[in-house]
Amino acid sequence: MQRREFVALLGAVAAAWPLPTVAQQAERMRRIGVLWPYTEVDPDSQSRIASLRQALLNLGWSEGRNLRFDYRWGASADNPDRIRRYAMELVALAPDVIVAGSGGIAIELKRTSRNVPIVFPHGQTTGWHRSCRKSGAAGW
C-alpha cells in the first residue's frame, strides 16, 4: 500500500469513527425560579405548581432530567422586603425564566432584572401571561 493510499484510508476511517463525546453529551439543564406568595403547604399553591409541572412534563420537560426548579415561598404582599430579597436571590441564580405567583411579584421581579423572562398566572385558571415578549426564551 502506497503512503498516499494509507493516509487516505486513515482519513476515511477517522471520519467514519463514532465520536462518543458527541453522542454522550447531556441535555442542557434549564432552570426555573418560582417566587410564590403563599407557603409551600398551601393547597392552592400545591395545585398550581403541580399543574405547571404537569404542563411542562407534557412538553418534554422533566424535573431532574432537563429542568430544575428553585422555589421561594411566602413572598406575600404584606412583606415587600421579603419579595425584594427573594427576587434578588432568584435573579442571582441566573434562571432561564421566573414564575411569579402574582402581578405584584412580577412587577418587583421586573424592577430587579430586565434580562430574565417573567411569567405569572393570569385569571383564575385561564393560563399564564408572559411579561417579556422579546426575551429570547422562545426557543425553549
Side-chain angles (χ1 to χ4, degrees):
M1 185 180 289
Q2 298 278 337
R3 179 173 181 223
R4 186 173 288 165
E5 292 169 359
F6 177 76
V7 171
L9 177 64
L10 187 61
V13 169
W17 197 265
L19 299 175
T21 56
V22 173
Q24 295 178 4
Q25 286 181 348
E27 191 172 357
R28 180 173 173 233
M29 181 73 71
R30 299 293 184 153
R31 195 171 201 158
I32 297 179
V34 178
L35 184 49
W36 210 254
Y38 309 111
T39 64
E40 184 176 4
V41 296
D42 176 68
D44 186 54
S45 296
Q46 290 178 353
S47 173
R48 287 182 183 248
I49 296 300
S51 170
L52 174 64
R53 281 185 177 145
Q54 185 59 51
L56 290 168
L57 186 60
N58 293 345
L59 295 171
W61 297 97
S62 175
E63 191 169 8
R65 182 176 57 87
N66 59 4
L67 191 61
R68 175 184 172 160
F69 285 94
D70 295 303
Y71 296 98
R72 298 297 183 271
W73 300 96
S76 61
D78 62 346
N79 195 337
D81 291 335
R82 182 182 291 165
I83 293 173
R84 274 194 274 315
R85 185 176 77 238
Y86 284 171
M88 288 188 294
E89 286 176 13
L90 284 175
V91 168
L93 295 173
D96 294 286
V97 65
I98 297 178
V99 176
S102 70
I105 290 174
I107 290 169
E108 189 57 46
L109 283 165
K110 191 78 167 156
R111 286 183 189 136
T112 305
S113 174
R114 299 251 182 227
N115 299 324
V116 180
I118 302 161
V119 295
F120 63 94
H122 179 66
Q124 292 292 325
T125 57
T126 57
W128 296 83
H129 176 76
R130 190 165 148 202
S131 68
C132 305
R133 286 272 176 223
K134 296 184 180 185
S135 61
W140 262 65

